[in-house]
Amino acid sequence: MNVDYNANENKDTHEKVAILIDSGCDVTDELIRQYHMKLLRLHVIYPEKDYSDDLDITPQMVYSRFPGEIPHTSTPGPQEVKDMVDEIKREGYTHVLSFAISSGLSGTYNTICGVLNEETELTSFVLDTRNVSFGSGVLAVWAAKKLEEGMSYDELVRILPGKVKDSKIFYYMDTLTYLQKGGRIGLVTSIVGSILNLKPIISCNEEGVYYTVAKIRGSRQGLTKLLSEAKEFAGDSPVWFSLLNGDAAAASAEMLPRLSKEIPNGELLLTKQITASLAVHTGPGLLGIGIMKL
């Protein structure tokens, strides 16, 4: 097998399609390597340094500095996107499919669009996933798999906007403090976490903004409700599912067998801790279930 040929190249149409994602999509290094994805990193900014997401800062480094230090985050800059586009062209790609976390939560989508719209040598499409974490990243994995199976760039551009509704991630959050301080509260009721030990299940709505799916008293009932919401969204369809956590490895390990049992038509795609930039805005004690209808 020619190692220079990859799964994103269509022999019939002579297309070579780059899959471009941002680090907020929470795709694992293994899947990035498998599908030859290109990664733009968000930034985590402390007074002493501007860190690159999951390159020179880990989620655990962020959690270890809570609650006293809550850093800022920022999108990849236009020059970073331009540098990546130049790399993509040097490697002989003809097309770019880019996947960005929700424009309702981050400016990354607009930054990528701004650069690619001025690019004349590449044919490109940027998908506003209206989602976050692997709720976004799973769409990139799905597209990469379809390219591997021979689907064309044009067909994917036509289909992908409609696939956004098939991906949803539900989060149990132990606290809303960090979401509120980071300005990402969206339609979530910020008072929920401070009264009667109520815990929210949140997700992204059709506009890609956080909203409250349910309010539950206590963490154990919250995790049960989280599973229930994910199961209801999956229905009887074949699905991919994923399990994400924010400084909640024990809860994730406990949830995994329950999830596999309750969604028997599902295939586990990954389990991981969320990336550092997302940890900034969600705080510790987070558990997420992602569902992608196939």
Side-chain angles (χ1 to χ4, degrees), residues 266-282:
E267 175 188 351
L268 176 65
L269 212 55
L270 61 77
T271 63
K272 75 182 293 285
Q273 180 157 264
I274 60 172
T275 193
S277 62
L278 299 182
V280 170
H281 298 296
T282 53

Side-chain angles (χ1 to χ4, degrees), residues 165-184:
K165 69 180 186 304
D166 291 333
S167 175
K168 199 167 182 70
I169 193 161
F170 300 91
Y171 279 121
Y172 162 83
M173 300 190 72
D174 210 33
T175 176
L176 290 173
T177 298
Y178 302 92
L179 204 63
Q180 187 177 31
K181 289 185 176 180
R184 303 303 197 279

Side-chain angles (χ1 to χ4, degrees), residues 53-75:
D53 205 6
D54 279 1
L55 181 63
D56 53 4
I57 189 168
T58 66
Q60 215 56 46
M61 289 166 66
V62 173
Y63 293 126
S64 70
R65 296 174 72 160
F66 286 157
E69 294 182 271
I70 302 177
H72 299 291
T73 59
S74 70
T75 69

Side-chain angles (χ1 to χ4, degrees), residues 17 95-98 123-127 142-143 151-162:
V17 185
H95 296 68
V96 178
L97 283 174
S98 183
T123 302
S124 63
F125 174 75
V126 187
L127 183 69
W142 181 86
M151 187 175 287
S152 71
Y153 169 88
D154 286 341
E155 190 171 1
L156 277 167
V157 168
R158 180 177 60 82
I159 292 173
L160 276 167

Side-chain angles (χ1 to χ4, degrees), residues 129-202:
T129 65
R130 300 186 182 184
N131 220 312
V132 71
S133 185
F134 199 61
S136 300
V138 71
L139 289 160
V141 175
W142 181 86
K145 185 171 176 59
K146 291 302 178 183
L147 285 170
E148 189 178 60
E149 294 170 355
M151 187 175 287
S152 71
Y153 169 88
D154 286 341
E155 190 171 1
L156 277 167
V157 168
R158 180 177 60 82
I159 292 173
L160 276 167
K163 286 300 293 181
V164 168
K165 69 180 186 304
D166 291 333
S167 175
K168 199 167 182 70
I169 193 161
F170 300 91
Y171 279 121
Y172 162 83
M173 300 190 72
D174 210 33
T175 176
L176 290 173
T177 298
Y178 302 92
L179 204 63
Q180 187 177 31
K181 289 185 176 180
R184 303 303 197 279
I185 200 71
L187 302 176
V188 180
T189 307
S190 59
I191 198 172
V192 167
S194 63
I195 58 172
L196 301 177
N197 197 30
L198 289 177
K199 306 292 184 181
I201 307 296
I202 71 168

